[in-house]
Amino acid sequence: MSRNEALINFLNLASRSKKLRYGQAYLQEKNSHKIKLIILLSNASLNTAKLVRNYAAHYTIKLSEINETEISRFVTKQNIKVISVLDVNIARKLLNLRKEGKLYEKDEAN
């Protein structure tokens, strides 16, 4: 399994379990108490990125910025730039998968 396949597979699983919400509009619905992690894709507009960063800082929500190429197979299903994760365990696993992927990339470079 490649370094990003595990992340993509887990995102698909989380999506099927209805624990992901897509888009900036969900943030504007005042659901901050439900959101455990916000994933921001690097190809989001500057305005969207600023809004999401400010929202995460204001409500002390973890923010993970991901390059769109890392999860390109997942993103092609929908034109999304912001993903809100509603489950703390799913958020924790996604952060761990991201960390493992970065470690894997460093090992490949050596």
Side-chain angles (χ1 to χ4, degrees), residues 28-77:
Q28 296 170 345
E29 293 175 8
K30 305 297 180 200
N31 293 308
S32 63
H33 63 284
K34 295 179 183 178
I35 300 172
K36 307 305 179 204
L37 171 69
I38 299 173
I39 299 172
L40 176 66
L41 272 63
S42 62
N43 63 343
S45 70
L46 293 176
N47 189 34
T48 299
K50 180 181 175 185
L51 183 128
V52 170
R53 287 184 190 113
N54 289 342
Y55 185 91
H58 182 266
Y59 291 106
T60 60
I61 299 170
K62 291 182 181 176
L63 176 67
S64 180
E65 296 188 30
I66 297 179
N67 189 338
E68 70 273 7
T69 57
E70 287 185 54
I71 57 172
S72 59
R73 282 192 312 157
F74 183 75
V75 174
T76 57
K77 294 180 181 178

Side-chain angles (χ1 to χ4, degrees), residues 88-106:
V88 67
N89 294 321
I90 292 174
R92 191 176 303 131
K93 179 67 174 177
L94 286 170
L95 289 172
N96 285 340
L97 287 171
R98 280 277 289 150
K99 192 183 306 180
E100 290 171 10
K102 286 182 180 178
L103 292 174
Y104 184 82
E105 287 173 7
K106 287 179 186 174

Side-chain angles (χ1 to χ4, degrees), residues 6 15 17 52 62 81 109:
S15 179
S17 69
V52 170
K62 291 182 181 176
K81 306 297 181 222

